[in-house]
Amino acid sequence: QAAADPMSSSDVPEDGPKETSSVSQSISDADAFKILLEMKMKKRQKKPTLPSTVTELDTEDGSKVYVVGTAHFSDSSKKDVVKTIQEVQPDVVVVELCQYRVSMLKMDEKTLLKEAKEINLEKLQQAIKQNGVMSGLMQMLLLKVSAHITEQLGMAPGGEFREAFKEASKVPFCKFHLGDRPIPVTFKRAIAALSFWQKVKLAWGLCFLSDPISKDDVEKCKQKDLLEQMMAEMIGEFPDLHRTIVSERDIYLTYMLKQAAKQIELPRASETEPRKYIPAVVVGVVGMGHVPGIEKNWNSDLNIQEIMSVPPPSASSKIFKFVIKATVFGLMGYGCYRIGQRTLQVILSMPAAQSYLQKLTEIRSQH
């Protein structure tokens, strides 16, 4: 746009506005694209100086993918993301988010910090409405883990994704892609992978999470993201759960990175001009725990259809769902009973009620 649009009056020399304007207007879209592309290529470092948390991957057609392994609660991770994007000037930035979590990109840090700490009934109802009873409850339990870390550190999650979003907007022709599998699919597959007692045990562990965490702990976990490490410790005894929450998402993230790394077609002056392609440069921003899985799957033929399907609820899921509903309705019924009982006691203790009952007793005794 800077190359194609006429210059503003404040930027134009007084002795030649018409000449400058005519030159600017004569630039075609293809020419403007080439100018900005050349500017971008000049800024792109041939041998970029990259943080130690970056893993470089190549595709068969020569495209490069720089995977930044981050800790979701880390200031240094945000700096790593900014540094990498500035050095390589990517064509695409892919982040470990899905459409259900994209709102965190536009919210300010203060609002996010408040939102992350608050786990209330409204959020629970929204999660259940969006994902169903079982998946909604699991989502809330996992949010509790994140809220626990947020409260301990005073730092909102997803800072590295917001930095990636900001920096990508500064790079000409840079696209921004969401690379994670949708949350409802992940949770529904996770629920289906657990037995009834495994669900109870996992829920119990998540509900009573209270270990203190320091900022030093976060930085020590730079080689394995803190949130994912805590989850790994809790789900380690459930291999099927680890498969759905971690391993399957490794596959999905790898697939999305490879899709983003397809060669870029250059603009043509006319339809008769032959098509020209150049290798793409991609930056991926993911939790450090996913990097080994992405490397492992990089040279494999990936099919994500299987890991996108949601299996029907098992018998244990139906039982667990019934138990949850029965518990909720039982507590509501007991609450109503206690309230009614207390109300009745208050009414009976009133002088007018006691006088009425005394008269009623006398009438019955006469008959």
Side-chain angles (χ1 to χ4, degrees):
Q1 289 177 343
D5 293 346
M7 299 173 75
S8 63
S9 57
S10 61
D11 295 326
V12 179
E14 292 182 3
D15 58 346
K18 291 183 180 180
E19 182 180 352
T20 306
S21 178
S22 63
V23 171
S24 298
Q25 290 176 350
S26 68
I27 297 176
S28 66
D29 289 344
D31 289 336
F33 183 94
K34 289 178 181 177
I35 291 170
L36 286 176
L37 188 63
E38 286 176 5
M39 291 170 58
K40 178 177 176 176
M41 292 303 180
K42 285 180 180 178
K43 289 185 70 177
R44 182 179 287 174
Q45 300 296 321
K46 291 183 179 179
K47 293 183 178 180
T49 304
L50 299 172
S52 60
T53 52
V54 175
T55 300
E56 186 177 338
L57 300 169
D58 299 302
T59 65
E60 294 179 355
D61 55 21
S63 295
K64 288 190 175 293
V65 178
Y66 299 93
V67 182
V68 188
T70 67
H72 294 315
F73 293 85
S74 170
D75 285 327
S76 61
S77 281
K78 292 190 281 188
K79 294 175 184 176
D80 290 351
V81 170
V82 171
K83 172 74 172 174
T84 303
I85 293 175
Q86 289 177 348
E87 285 285 311
V88 306
Q89 294 290 296
D91 303 300
V92 186
V93 171
V94 181
V95 296
E96 186 198 328
L97 286 177
C98 69
Q99 65 266 36
Y100 293 91
R101 293 182 291 161
V102 72
S103 60
M104 72 161 56
L105 294 175
K106 298 181 180 180
M107 295 171 72
D108 62 87
E109 196 80 10
K110 187 178 179 180
T111 305
L112 271 168
L113 192 59
K114 183 181 176 182
E115 286 282 322
K117 287 181 180 179
E118 294 179 354
I119 305 295
N120 50 37
L121 183 60
E122 185 181 347
K123 286 187 178 181
L124 176 60
Q125 291 174 335
Q126 185 179 357
I128 290 175
K129 184 179 178 181
Q130 187 181 83
N131 304 319
V133 176
M134 295 306 307
S135 299
L137 287 171
M138 173 165 271
Q139 181 178 347
M140 291 308 296
L141 290 171
L142 293 176
L143 281 175
K144 186 179 183 298
V145 178
S146 180
H148 171 63
I149 300 174
T150 300
E151 189 173 3
Q152 293 278 319
L153 299 180
M155 183 187 298
E160 73 273 33
F161 302 137
R162 290 189 290 281
E163 290 298 327
F165 184 66
K166 291 176 188 175
E167 286 302 315
S169 67
K170 300 175 186 177
V171 179
F173 312 115
C174 183
K175 296 178 182 179
F176 190 86
H177 288 185
L178 304 176
D180 202 2
R181 184 172 65 179
I183 281 179
V185 176
T186 297
F187 285 140
K188 286 175 182 177
R189 287 183 63 84
I191 287 294
L194 294 176
S195 68
F196 172 76
W197 290 113
Q198 285 177 326
K199 291 169 188 171
V200 172
K201 192 172 182 180
L202 178 65
W204 182 268
L206 289 170
C207 284
F208 291 95
L209 177 73
S210 59
D211 293 337
I213 303 161
S214 68
K215 289 189 177 183
D216 289 338
D217 291 332
V218 177
E219 296 309 320
K220 287 176 183 176
C221 292
K222 193 69 178 291
Q223 296 306 313
K224 192 172 185 182
D225 180 61
L226 179 61
L227 179 59
E228 291 177 6
Q229 179 167 318
M230 292 180 70
M231 287 307 305
E233 289 174 358
M234 284 183 284
I235 68 179
E237 56 189 296
F238 310 131
D240 291 332
L241 190 61
H242 185 275
R243 172 176 54 80
T244 54
I245 291 182
V246 181
S247 301
E248 288 183 359
R249 288 173 58 228
D250 290 345
I251 294 171
Y252 191 91
L253 287 165
T254 306
Y255 178 85
M256 295 302 289
L257 286 168
K258 292 178 82 169
Q259 289 296 307
K262 290 183 176 180
Q263 287 192 326
I264 299 170
E265 181 181 354
L266 295 175
R268 294 180 293 165
S270 66
E271 292 294 327
T272 57
E273 186 179 339
R275 297 178 184 274
K276 293 181 181 179
Y277 297 85
I278 58 171
V281 173
V282 177
V283 170
V285 183
V286 304
M288 182 60 74
H290 290 290
V291 176
I294 292 171
E295 287 187 278
K296 177 184 175 182
N297 293 303
W298 188 251
N299 294 316
S300 304
D301 292 326
L302 303 174
N303 184 355
I304 63 169
Q305 295 302 317
E306 183 183 347
I307 62 172
M308 287 298 291
S309 63
V310 179
S314 63
S316 65
S317 292
K318 292 178 181 177
I319 293 171
F320 193 66
K321 184 176 180 180
F322 173 78
V323 170
I324 291 294
K325 284 186 174 180
T327 303
V328 171
F329 285 118
L331 289 171
M332 288 175 63
Y334 179 72
C336 291
Y337 165 74
R338 292 291 295 173
I339 291 170
Q341 189 182 44
R342 182 169 293 182
T343 303
L344 183 61
Q345 288 174 349
V346 171
I347 292 172
L348 291 176
S349 66
M350 295 173 67
Q354 288 179 351
S355 176
Y356 176 79
L357 288 172
Q358 187 176 2
K359 288 180 181 180
L360 185 64
T361 304
E362 289 173 357
I363 293 170
R364 289 185 63 183
S365 62
Q366 289 175 0
H367 291 283

